[in-house]
Amino acid sequence: NKFGRKCYICGTSENITKEQLCVHHIDYNKNAICNGKEWAFVPLCRSCHAKTNGNRWYWFNLLINYWLDKYEIPWVM
């Protein structure tokens, strides 16, 4: 709900795709939520999520910089 049920990259909503969005771990660490700290997760449509499997450094840098700028995660500062 934090993102309005829209893909973080292309903005497509769940209403249009008729399926739930995927949760993308920006740092590709699927255990990140288990460490008790808030970490950057974003919702992605199936198409955009597939794109993030290649060229991981590009997607990590793009998404983490936007995330940090927009949400100013306090533990990073």
Side-chain angles (χ1 to χ4, degrees), residues 9-40:
I9 295 174
C10 72
T12 301
S13 74
E14 287 182 337
N15 293 335
I16 292 173
T17 61
K18 304 291 186 219
E19 58 185 35
Q20 287 187 334
L21 297 169
C22 304
V23 174
H24 176 66
H25 301 75
I26 290 178
D27 69 344
Y28 296 92
N29 178 4
K30 293 188 166 102
N31 293 321
I33 194 72
C34 301
N35 66 9
K37 295 181 180 178
E38 182 176 351
W39 187 244

